[in-house]
């Protein structure tokens, strides 16, 4: 085993909705099969806002909790049974603590583990702390020259990879992405790799258009007018109240739609008649299974994903409330917000 990281540092703890504190952090020594990671950066997303605001669905979080499910870091210590070759390696890690023995886990659908929901940063201590201890089997090793700041976005990239794998894009198709936030811009990059004939992005904020085009979009529009019923494949990445219905409206008859966003309760529902008579294929994504993680990590390691361009703010852990405000501000100039221990 290596020497544990020095100094306790501070960690963010959310005790209840709207109540957080900074507490001294003591690294948790890794047990058998575990690794202790020195955290480089932790991303802040809408799910963290839900935890802090008390709006996350019941059963999908547990107070008190150290948040942080998007992260990157370096392995500092390993427990019994873990190869010492992991020491010093740059890594990211899956968040779902699946049981590995139920039917869903055996088929690779680890985010649907029937043992119950259990995820880093929601029901287990997360990465808004100097270190994180987790099962080593959940780690994905990065190239030695990987940019760890950019790598902190590999969790959302893995979720988008799950969507694109489900969508099975084919060269020459007309493709659309609904939403040009972090998920949507990652989707544009992954979908562009399949050589679509057209790759449209539906995004009302004009400030997002330039990045979308840089990443491979052939067009950025502010409304669905003119795209309805034209697209072979549509990926919804907004999670807005009406974005799922909008995504379906863009698909041609016999087309494919993948929903990734989770809207708030009361969102506009889908018309089953339109789904059936249009013979649409509808996929949904919840988290990312290992195959999607591997896909995202390979693409990142090969230089096919520019995640660093999405980072607009890097703040210290003590600025957690400000980070939450930035993420919820709706300001188009706010991209990905990272917290650094």
């Amino acid at each position: 085993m290596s020497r544990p990281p020095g100094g306790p540092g501070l960690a963010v703890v959310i005790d209840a909705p709207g109540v957080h504190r900074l507490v001294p952090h003591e690294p948790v020594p890794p047990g058998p099969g575990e690794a202790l990671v020195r955290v480089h950066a932790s991303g802040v997303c809408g799910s963290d806002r839900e935890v802090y605001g008390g709006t996350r669905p019941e059963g999908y979080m547990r107070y008190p909790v150290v948040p942080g499910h998007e992260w990157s870091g370096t392995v500092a210590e390993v427990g019994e049974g873990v190869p010492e070759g992991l020491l010093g390696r740059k890594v990211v890690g899956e968040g779902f603590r699946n049981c590995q023995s139920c039917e869903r886990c055996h088929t690779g659908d680890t985010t649907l583990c029937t043992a119950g929901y259990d995820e880093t940063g929601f029901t287990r201590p997360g990465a808004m702390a100097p270190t994180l201890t987790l099962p080593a089997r959940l780690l994905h090793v990065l190239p030695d020259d990987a940019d760890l700041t950019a790598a902190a976005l590999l969790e959302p990239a893995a979720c988008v990879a799950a969507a694109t794998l489900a969508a099975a894009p084919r060269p020459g198709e007309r493709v659309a992405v609904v939403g040009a936030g972090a998920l949507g811009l990652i989707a544009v990059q992954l979908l562009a790799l399949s050589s679509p004939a057209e790759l449209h992005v539906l995004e009302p904020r004009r400030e997002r258009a330039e990045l979308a085009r840089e990443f491979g979009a052939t067009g950025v529009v502010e409304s669905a007018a003119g795209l309805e019923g034209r697209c072979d494949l549509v990926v919804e990445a907004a999670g807005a109240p009406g974005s799922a219905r909008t995504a379906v409206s863009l698909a041609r008859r016999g087309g494919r739609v993948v929903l990734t966003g989770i809207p708030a309760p009361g969102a506009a529902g889908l018309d089953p008649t339109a789904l059936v008579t249009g013979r649409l294929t509808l996929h949904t994504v919840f988290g990312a299974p290992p195959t999607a993680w591997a896909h995202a990590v390979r693409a990142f390691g090969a230089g096919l994903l520019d995640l660093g361009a999405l980072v607009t703010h890097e703040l210290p852990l003590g600025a957690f409330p400000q980070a939450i405000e930035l993420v919820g501000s709706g300001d188009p100039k706010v991209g990905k917000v990272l917290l650094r221990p």
Side-chain angles (χ1 to χ4, degrees), residues 22 36 42 48 59 83 100 126 141 190 227 246 318 320 333:
L22 292 175
L36 184 150
S42 179
D48 299 305
Q100 297 186 286
V141 177
L190 289 175
L227 278 181
T246 297
F320 172 74
K333 295 180 181 179

Side-chain angles (χ1 to χ4, degrees), residues 74 226 245:
T74 304
R245 182 169 291 198

Side-chain angles (χ1 to χ4, degrees), residues 175-240:
V175 181
V177 175
V178 177
L183 291 180
L185 291 172
I186 295 170
V188 169
Q189 295 184 60
L190 289 175
L191 291 167
L193 299 176
S194 66
S195 301
E198 300 175 21
L199 178 50
H200 300 280
V201 176
L202 177 58
E203 172 57 63
R205 298 170 294 181
R206 296 182 181 181
E207 294 85 351
R208 296 289 178 141
E210 184 177 347
L211 260 183
R213 290 192 177 94
E214 287 180 13
F215 290 153
T218 59
V220 182
V221 296
E222 296 182 30
S223 73
L227 278 181
E228 295 101 328
R230 293 190 60 239
C231 300
D232 302 292
L233 167 63
V234 184
V235 175
E236 182 278 321

Side-chain angles (χ1 to χ4, degrees), residues 17-257:
V19 180
H20 86 285
R21 56 197 165 101
L22 292 175
V23 302
H25 171 75
E26 290 292 343
V28 177
E34 294 183 330
L36 184 150
V37 175
R38 183 181 292 108
V39 176
H40 174 82
S42 179
V44 184
C45 82
S47 297
D48 299 305
R49 288 189 68 241
E50 290 176 350
V51 174
Y52 190 53
T55 60
R56 189 160 173 83
E58 186 178 355
Y60 288 89
M61 73 89 39
R62 184 184 304 135
Y63 297 108
V65 69
V66 176
H69 60 287
E70 306 175 3
W71 58 270
S72 63
T74 304
V75 177
E77 188 177 351
V78 297
E80 181 182 352
V82 178
E84 293 211 356
L86 275 178
L87 289 171
R89 298 304 303 272
K90 296 178 179 179
V91 293
V92 290
E94 300 174 33
F96 283 81
R97 306 296 185 92
N98 51 81
C99 74
Q100 297 186 286
S101 60
C102 72
E103 182 179 343
R104 294 272 54 82
C105 284
H106 280 168
T107 60
D109 288 329
T110 53
T111 65
L112 302 180
C113 176
T114 58
Y117 174 77
D118 195 11
E119 185 177 4
T120 298
F122 298 108
T123 62
R124 299 286 185 105
M128 291 188 190
T131 70
L132 172 66
T133 300
L134 73 167
R137 63 182 173 82
L138 299 178
L139 297 177
H140 290 261
V141 177
L142 304 173
D144 291 338
D145 62 352
D147 178 353
L148 281 177
T149 298
L153 277 69
L154 274 168
E155 193 277 343
C159 294
V160 176
T164 55
L165 290 172
R170 297 184 284 270
E173 289 192 310
R174 290 194 187 100
V175 181
V177 175
V178 177
L183 291 180
L185 291 172
I186 295 170
V188 169
Q189 295 184 60
L190 289 175
L191 291 167
L193 299 176
S194 66
S195 301
E198 300 175 21
L199 178 50
H200 300 280
V201 176
L202 177 58
E203 172 57 63
R205 298 170 294 181
R206 296 182 181 181
E207 294 85 351
R208 296 289 178 141
E210 184 177 347
L211 260 183
R213 290 192 177 94
E214 287 180 13
F215 290 153
T218 59
V220 182
V221 296
E222 296 182 30
S223 73
L227 278 181
E228 295 101 328
R230 293 190 60 239
C231 300
D232 302 292
L233 167 63
V234 184
V235 175
E236 182 278 321
S243 57
R245 182 169 291 198
T246 297
V248 169
S249 76
L250 302 184
R252 65 163 174 83
R253 299 192 73 190
R256 311 185 308 283
V257 178

